[in-house]
Amino acid sequence: MELDRLSIDNEGLIPSIKSVDVEYSFGKGESEKQVLFDNNLTIYPGEIVIMTGPSGSGKTTLLTLIGALRSMQKGSIQFLGRELLNLSDNGKHDLRKEIGFIFQHHNLFESLSALDTLKVAMQLQIPKPSPEQAEKEATELLQRLGLGERMTYKPSRLSGGQKQRVAIARALINHPKLILADEPTAALDQESGQMVIELFKERAQEEKATVLIVTHDNRILDAADRIVNMVDGHIHSNILIKEHLRICEYLNHCHVFKDVKASILNNVAHQLKRKSYKPGEIIIKQGDHGEHFYLIDTGRAVASLEKNGISQEVAVLGGGQSFGELALLNDEPRAATITAQSDVEAYLLNKNDFLSVIENPPALGDEIRNIYMQAG
Ligand SMILES: Nc1ncnc2c1ncn2[C@@H]1O[C@H](COP(=O)(O)OP(=O)(O)OP(=O)(O)O)[C@@H](O)[C@H]1O
Ligand SMILES: [Mg+2]
């Protein structure tokens, strides 16, 4: 859903990442090419955010700017309140210690076994762990990632997926506050991909780590809180996944949309505007002209009919229930008054958008989940 519609309540929390109007160009003079434009993204501790988008859309470039692996040119990125623009090399170096990087090219040292790779990474900890502690933690993490049998192997004796898991273990061994991962599960089979996803979830939930993953792997969708889509160097949409899926599900059950295919309902969910109502507030009034279709997300509302000056309650509506379509379809006045009984959060679709959905030809399919990934 749109940026301004995110209903996550993070008041008072310091974002882990706050990027404002970030731009970036490669090259100089004649050969200068701008690849990032006005990127705004705020991510809070404990969130898992997926970034998708076509090849060349700027995902890796933005990720490396956020990770202080590249110098900022224009705009602002704050990492836990610290500004990255004009940050000194020492400052960048310190900041990187708090980040776990996982990149497509894992850059493992050929001379180090999996276990030694992790032990070397642990030397960055302050205070340094004892050799016994380092051995114990490194062993546990490698076992967790299914590498228990291969801990003493050097990269030349590991498969691509195994190397990738060593790189993931190296990124996570120091319990970073921020995990930046570029296609971390692409080389992994179902089982090891799932282990990695579980580990990300655990770090987000238990340690409030922030996880930003560039991926086209829709197995990660279920674990993620938000999906950010990049197009031509710009964050084009930023969606709360659970909320979006719930609304798609609600729309799918609305009688009026029974013949509308899932991909169109997915677009409808993007067009909805969220609105709050206080208890006692009138949402629509009998006799009024209809301009919107309504879908209740949370709360209760009462439908009442007025006849000869007497108002009579006819129904109570709750989450997932919709109203207001008749006046739009038949161009007639509102048939009933709907009043909020509790705090109500509702989604509104304007008349033109509603009518254009209804006019869409009926079709097949239930592809809501895949649609996210296809957007890339
Ligand atoms: N070192 C570089 N020098 C010049 N141009 C670059 C450089 N790195 C990336 N680019 C350009 O910047 C744009 C964004 O690249 P980026 O690697 O961020 O895309 P991406 O979204 O990560 O793509 P992919 O999904 O293929 O990994 C592309 O047009 C690319 O050609
Ligand atoms: Mg990339």
Side-chain angles (χ1 to χ4, degrees), residues 144-146 165 190-200:
R144 196 54 220 275
L145 287 164
R165 277 180 279 157
Q190 180 66 26
E191 196 187 348
S192 27
Q194 208 51 49
M195 287 180 200
V196 171
I197 294 166
E198 285 305 317
L199 209 47
F200 287 159

Side-chain angles (χ1 to χ4, degrees), residues 26 33 35 54-61:
F26 283 108
K33 187 180 165 225
V35 299
S55 180
S57 59
K59 304 180 297 294
T60 299
T61 309

Side-chain angles (χ1 to χ4, degrees), residues 15-212:
S16 334
I17 300 168
K18 185 169 167 58
S19 97
V20 181
D21 298 338
V22 170
E23 303 192 356
Y24 194 82
S25 304
F26 283 108
K28 286 255 171 308
E30 290 261 302
S31 63
E32 179 172 335
K33 187 180 165 225
Q34 186 168 348
V35 299
L36 293 182
F37 303 84
D38 303 324
N39 282 295
N40 295 288
L41 178 65
T42 304
I43 308 180
Y44 290 91
E47 272 196 290
I48 300 182
V49 176
I50 292 180
M51 188 181 280
T52 60
S55 180
S57 59
K59 304 180 297 294
T60 299
T61 309
L62 185 58
L63 211 67
T64 48
L65 281 172
I66 290 172
L69 293 171
R70 203 179 271 296
S71 293
M72 295 270 300
Q73 295 171 345
K74 207 161 170 214
S76 156
I77 296 182
Q78 292 196 354
F79 173 64
L80 287 174
R82 277 172 287 170
E83 176 59 58
L84 266 63
L85 183 70
N86 302 325
L87 189 67
S88 67
D89 286 347
N90 276 346
K92 280 190 204 133
H93 185 259
D94 285 347
L95 197 128
R96 282 183 217 132
K97 288 187 195 163
E98 297 182 41
I99 304 176
F101 295 99
I102 304 161
F103 286 116
Q104 277 164 307
H105 308 290
H106 16 75
N107 302 329
L108 296 175
F109 287 112
E110 286 301 330
S111 58
L112 293 179
S113 69
L115 198 56
D116 288 339
T117 300
L118 266 60
K119 286 188 195 165
V120 168
M122 290 173 87
Q123 295 305 305
L124 284 175
Q125 290 181 14
I126 302 169
K128 288 192 173 92
S130 67
E132 298 74 32
Q133 187 63 19
E135 173 98 15
K136 180 172 174 282
E137 283 181 33
T139 304
E140 276 171 11
L141 187 55
L142 289 168
Q143 283 172 340
R144 196 54 220 275
L145 287 164
L147 292 168
E149 309 287 300
R150 293 185 170 73
M151 289 195 289
T152 55
Y153 287 26
K154 290 179 182 166
S156 59
R157 295 175 64 206
L158 296 173
S159 72
Q162 288 161 351
K163 281 189 265 202
Q164 181 68 348
R165 277 180 279 157
V166 176
I168 291 170
R170 178 181 59 185
L172 299 182
I173 190 71
N174 290 336
H175 298 266
K177 293 196 182 98
L178 173 62
I179 298 165
L180 295 177
D182 207 342
E183 299 281 6
T185 57
L188 304 183
D189 59 30
Q190 180 66 26
E191 196 187 348
S192 27
Q194 208 51 49
M195 287 180 200
V196 171
I197 294 166
E198 285 305 317
L199 209 47
F200 287 159
K201 263 168 65 177
E202 210 174 279
R203 294 298 177 89
Q205 282 165 9
E206 292 173 13
E207 302 179 13
K208 289 283 164 231
T210 300
V211 188
L212 176 57

